[in-house]
Amino acid sequence: MVEEGQTIAVWFSCGAASAVAAKMAIRQYGNIANIRVLNTPVLEEGADNQRFRQEVENWIGIEIETVTNPKWPENSAQAVWDKTRFMSGPRGARCTLELKKNARYAWEKNNHADWHVLGFTADENDRFHRFKLTERSNVIPILAMYGLKKRGCFELLEKEGIRLPEAYALGYPNANCRGCVKATSPAYWDLVRRVDPKVFAARAQTSRALGARLVEIHKERVFLDELPAQTEQQSLISAPDCGFWCEEHAGDPA
């Protein structure tokens, strides 16, 4: 599938799955292909993500390059919301579009990639095929090739002595921005309110100012400051992975 001399772009999101995807791609194709590992940082991500990025870079033995959208030099989701007056809708979040997806498009204008690798795990076939249909068809499902699911990625990194980003220890399902505006789960926002109260307060203030009802309770959308003190879904903490595309549904992904 991959020919000698081709370029593979690995999109690393500072999460466990994309870290392992980078390692597997290098192991599988590093002897014949030019592999570039790329990261689109967002200011609202946890600070510990940068520690994790450095450890992963040392582990894979390849420099992780920073990719940004030149239209947004701050790389800030808050700046995107404030300027565009839009947070999230049925087709995804504006911050993902501007700081992830359009950052990748900007990179592709000046760089060639024969193949792309993202952190789609073995149990995310639907998301993988949707990306192939709507974004790029030249994607290598490297984690599925090795049969790796998210838990397997956690275990592999732990065996290698690489501590996962702090977000996982706090109970977040991924290492994306704290207070992801694509999430609608009451349990997710209750978690944000408990472990990142300043983040929750900031999201509540912005969502009110922009009229964005981010939480869904019994099929009704409400503002964050209307979230009950105790929710019914405490065991269902989830939020969309903030990859290099916008999910059409911002609820509880597989």
Side-chain angles (χ1 to χ4, degrees):
M1 183 167 59
V2 177
E3 298 179 1
E4 186 170 355
Q6 290 187 326
T7 296
I8 300 174
V10 180
W11 295 94
F12 170 66
S13 66
C14 280
S18 61
V20 175
K23 185 67 172 182
M24 296 298 101
I26 294 167
R27 178 181 297 177
Q28 183 79 15
Y29 304 111
N31 62 327
I32 62 170
N34 172 37
I35 298 180
R36 299 181 66 179
V37 183
L38 312 159
N39 174 239
T40 56
V42 180
L43 186 63
E44 285 74 14
E45 293 175 348
D48 191 50
N49 278 17
Q50 292 308 303
R51 185 273 313 162
F52 180 71
R53 169 177 163 161
Q54 185 59 59
E55 289 193 21
V56 170
E57 182 175 274
N58 294 338
W59 180 47
I60 64 178
I62 290 181
E63 176 190 0
I64 297 176
E65 305 173 53
T66 297
V67 173
T68 61
N69 182 347
K71 293 183 179 180
W72 300 95
E74 313 96 326
N75 297 328
S76 168
Q78 185 68 55
V80 171
W81 303 327
D82 291 343
K83 188 170 183 178
T84 64
R85 309 300 295 173
F86 184 83
M87 296 183 84
S88 181
R91 300 191 67 82
R94 188 62 182 265
C95 46
T96 298
L97 173 64
E98 298 292 347
L99 303 180
K100 296 287 185 178
K101 190 172 183 178
N102 285 346
R104 175 168 60 83
Y105 289 168
W107 181 86
E108 289 179 326
K109 287 182 180 179
N110 300 306
N111 299 271
H112 172 74
D114 298 286
W115 302 96
H116 295 275
V117 168
L118 297 93
F120 293 115
T121 54
D123 52 348
E124 292 183 311
N125 285 332
D126 288 345
R127 297 181 71 202
F128 168 69
H129 289 298
R130 185 160 65 248
F131 184 84
K132 287 189 65 176
L133 286 172
T134 62
E135 284 289 331
R136 297 289 182 270
S137 61
N138 55 337
V139 182
I140 302 173
I142 194 72
L143 295 179
M145 288 165 57
Y146 282 88
L148 282 165
K149 299 180 181 180
K150 182 170 283 191
R151 173 52 56 186
C153 293
F154 290 166
E155 293 173 352
L156 194 155
L157 289 169
E158 290 168 357
K159 288 179 181 178
E160 293 292 330
I162 300 175
R163 180 165 52 88
L164 296 172
E166 180 189 40
Y168 293 111
L170 292 174
Y172 287 106
N174 53 54
N176 302 149
C177 297
R178 306 290 178 84
C180 174
V181 299
K182 287 188 292 187
T184 62
S185 164
Y188 172 81
W189 285 110
D190 188 61
L191 173 69
V192 178
R193 181 168 54 187
R194 287 186 285 108
V195 303
D196 280 313
K198 291 183 179 179
V199 171
F200 183 86
R203 299 290 181 274
Q205 181 179 19
T206 302
S207 63
R208 269 289 181 182
L210 301 182
R213 292 175 169 82
L214 299 178
V215 188
E216 184 174 303
I217 301 177
H218 303 307
K219 298 184 179 182
E220 179 182 357
R221 298 296 288 261
V222 302
F223 287 107
L224 286 177
D225 56 20
E226 297 174 324
L227 182 67
Q230 293 184 346
T231 67
E232 299 178 359
Q233 304 179 34
Q234 292 301 311
S235 62
L236 299 178
I237 304 299
S238 59
D241 282 329
C242 191
F244 302 90
W245 63 94
C246 273
E247 298 285 6
E248 291 194 359
H249 177 60
D252 301 329

